[in-house]
Amino acid sequence: MCFKKRHGYSPPDHFNAKIYTGPIPAERQPPMSRNETSPSRAQQAGNQRPNTCCFCWCCCCSCSCLTVRNEDENRPRRKPQETKLETIPKCEACTKPTAEEMRLWAQSFDKLMKNPAGRNVFREFLRTEYSEENMLFWLACEDLKKEVNKSVTEEKARMIYEDYISILSPKEVSLDSRVREVINRKMQDPTSHTFDDAQLQIYTLMHRDSYPRFLNSTLYKSVVQSTSRSSSES
């Protein structure tokens, strides 16, 4: 016999309390066999799309991911953000570039950016990548450098800050903290060169990131072929 029972020991009440395991069901349903399917699972299976193949990106089958991709392609594209600066047109005035000029665009990013037609084509490519604000910011800085009136300069600088520097703007450009601190200090007394560091950083970003993809894009190749064909026919 246990020592505790022999000497009249009784355990505390909490040792005899039952552990709560949740509400007791009114009627326990019999387990289903392997071949049976519950109505809820059958309904979920009916709403699901067929299984996708692992290599559906090669377009070798008509699986559900292709349907999703087609739905995404049919959705309307997001419109580019408007800028407050009315001095920056949606397309710069320029003459039609020659085939030789367009070939120079592939040799140097500087040559592309110095050519108004090249900037227009590159800007159109950036719009397809939803990064048009980089070009708009660069153009706004170029326009600011031409301003000589102090009051107009201050107003344009404030609008550039609100459009492209402020973290609340939908067109905010990507700048590091050091450049942002410099801009915040210079905005106390803005000049035509307040955004020089930021403009250089965005220029470098477009050069290293967007420019290589632009040269390999269908847009650039089609424009070059069209211009070359027109030159040969004339």
Side-chain angles (χ1 to χ4, degrees):
M1 178 181 295
C2 178
F3 173 81
K4 295 181 179 179
K5 289 185 178 181
R6 187 170 61 245
H7 289 78
Y9 173 80
S10 60
D13 293 339
H14 65 268
F15 277 89
N16 298 324
K18 294 183 179 180
I19 300 175
Y20 179 74
T21 57
I24 302 175
E27 294 183 1
R28 186 178 299 275
Q29 298 293 337
M32 294 183 298
S33 63
R34 293 185 178 179
N35 297 329
E36 293 179 350
T37 305
S38 65
S40 59
R41 291 187 178 180
Q43 183 178 1
Q44 293 177 0
N47 295 334
Q48 289 180 350
R49 291 176 174 169
N51 294 331
T52 60
C53 107
C54 298
F55 302 99
C56 58
W57 50 267
C58 67
C59 304
C60 61
C61 61
S62 57
C63 55
S64 62
C65 62
L66 295 180
T67 305
V68 174
R69 184 171 60 189
N70 291 333
E71 291 176 356
D72 292 339
E73 291 176 353
N74 293 330
R75 291 176 183 173
R77 288 184 175 272
R78 177 174 64 88
K79 294 182 179 180
Q81 298 287 347
E82 297 294 335
T83 178
K84 295 180 181 179
L85 295 173
E86 298 178 356
T87 56
I88 302 298
K90 290 186 177 181
C91 184
E92 296 181 73
C94 62
T95 58
K96 185 177 180 180
T98 63
E100 180 61 27
E101 287 178 326
M102 300 187 71
R103 279 192 288 269
L104 292 177
W105 298 350
Q107 296 180 4
S108 168
F109 183 65
D110 293 337
K111 294 179 180 179
L112 171 70
M113 293 294 287
K114 289 179 180 179
N115 187 284
R119 291 195 298 267
N120 284 337
V121 178
F122 185 56
R123 177 175 168 181
E124 181 63 27
F125 169 76
L126 294 177
R127 186 181 290 116
T128 64
E129 291 202 336
Y130 302 103
S131 58
E132 183 186 12
E133 64 273 4
N134 290 334
M135 176 64 78
L136 293 177
F137 171 70
W138 188 87
L139 291 172
C141 293
E142 288 294 295
D143 179 73
L144 180 65
K145 292 177 181 179
K146 301 175 184 177
E147 190 58 57
V148 294
N149 185 286
K150 181 174 178 57
S151 60
V152 177
T153 298
E154 293 177 352
E155 178 64 16
K156 286 187 175 183
R158 182 186 63 80
M159 295 173 70
I160 291 175
Y161 187 93
E162 292 179 358
D163 273 346
Y164 306 107
I165 308 301
S166 172
I167 59 175
L168 301 178
S169 174
K171 303 187 298 296
E172 177 194 5
V173 294
S174 179
L175 300 172
D176 59 36
S177 58
R178 181 192 64 82
V179 173
R180 288 184 176 277
E181 291 177 359
V182 171
I183 292 176
N184 290 333
R185 288 198 302 268
K186 291 184 177 180
M187 283 300 295
Q188 298 177 3
D189 185 21
T191 66
S192 58
H193 297 280
T194 296
F195 304 100
D196 283 0
D197 292 341
Q199 185 185 21
L200 177 60
Q201 191 168 102
I202 295 302
Y203 185 90
T204 304
L205 176 65
M206 291 190 294
H207 184 191
R208 294 179 179 178
D209 185 62
S210 302
Y211 178 61
R213 293 198 300 272
F214 166 72
L215 297 180
N216 293 321
S217 67
T218 305
L219 173 64
Y220 173 69
K221 293 178 181 178
S222 62
V223 172
V224 171
Q225 291 176 359
S226 176
T227 305
S228 302
R229 190 181 306 113
S230 300
S231 300
S232 60
E233 290 176 356
S234 61

